[in-house]
Amino acid sequence: MPPRSDIDFMQRALELAGEAEARGEVPVGAALVRDGTIIGEGYNRPIGAHDPTAHAEMEALRAAGRAQAGYRLTDTTLYVTLEPCLMCAAAIVHARVRRVVFGAWDPKAGAAGSTIDAFKLPSMNHRVDVFGGVLEKECGARLTRFFAVKRGT
């Protein structure tokens, strides 16, 4: 079996975004991978969890931390359908994630280059390789459809 690709893992993140959408949450999904295996995954659930920090990335980091019995998630790649916000970017750095791959850019709150690039702030003590635009159209379309329905447009 060939190794799984960024596209394969982003497709899993899109499936997780569908879980969020089915629960009335903004459809964002995330999967954290080490050595070709998903070690943590999550989807947006701040409404259902009554927790403003329950973003998909945070849920995936928490799940992986529990599964690995530690908060340092070195040598991992985080796949997320939407550019991380500032809160999530900081958590990714603190967890020592090696790489972030995201789908859609977030021009309102994205912290990987859209509004700020938190990953390049000189005060950060860990560097993360960031790559955006993987399955960008699919990730963006899911969000656009969700908000169109919410707004009745």
Side-chain angles (χ1 to χ4, degrees), residues 114-134:
S114 286
T115 63
I116 187 173
D117 193 341
F119 296 105
K120 291 185 180 172
L121 292 173
S123 61
M124 291 295 187
N125 62 349
H126 172 71
R127 296 290 166 234
V128 178
D129 293 328
V130 180
F131 185 75
V134 173

Side-chain angles (χ1 to χ4, degrees), residues 4 11 17 19 28 32 42 45 53 59 63 65-66 71 73 80 82 87 93 97 104-105 111 115-116 121 127 141 148:
R4 294 173 71 183
Q11 287 172 333
E19 293 290 326
V28 179
L32 188 68
R45 52 184 221 97
T53 70
E59 295 294 297
R66 286 189 299 271
Y71 71 100
L73 302 169
V80 60
L82 181 64
M87 173 187 68
V93 169
V97 171
W105 294 87
T115 63
I116 187 173
L121 292 173
R127 296 290 166 234

Side-chain angles (χ1 to χ4, degrees), residues 3 15 17 49 52 58 104:
E15 290 171 6
M58 302 294 279

Side-chain angles (χ1 to χ4, degrees), residues 84-99:
C85 72
L86 188 56
M87 173 187 68
C88 292
I92 290 163
V93 169
H94 289 299
R96 304 297 193 268
V97 171
R98 181 173 27 102
R99 188 169 169 251

Side-chain angles (χ1 to χ4, degrees), residues 41-55:
E41 55 186 29
Y43 50 82
N44 268 10
R45 52 184 221 97
I47 298 166
H50 309 289
D51 179 357
T53 70
H55 290 192

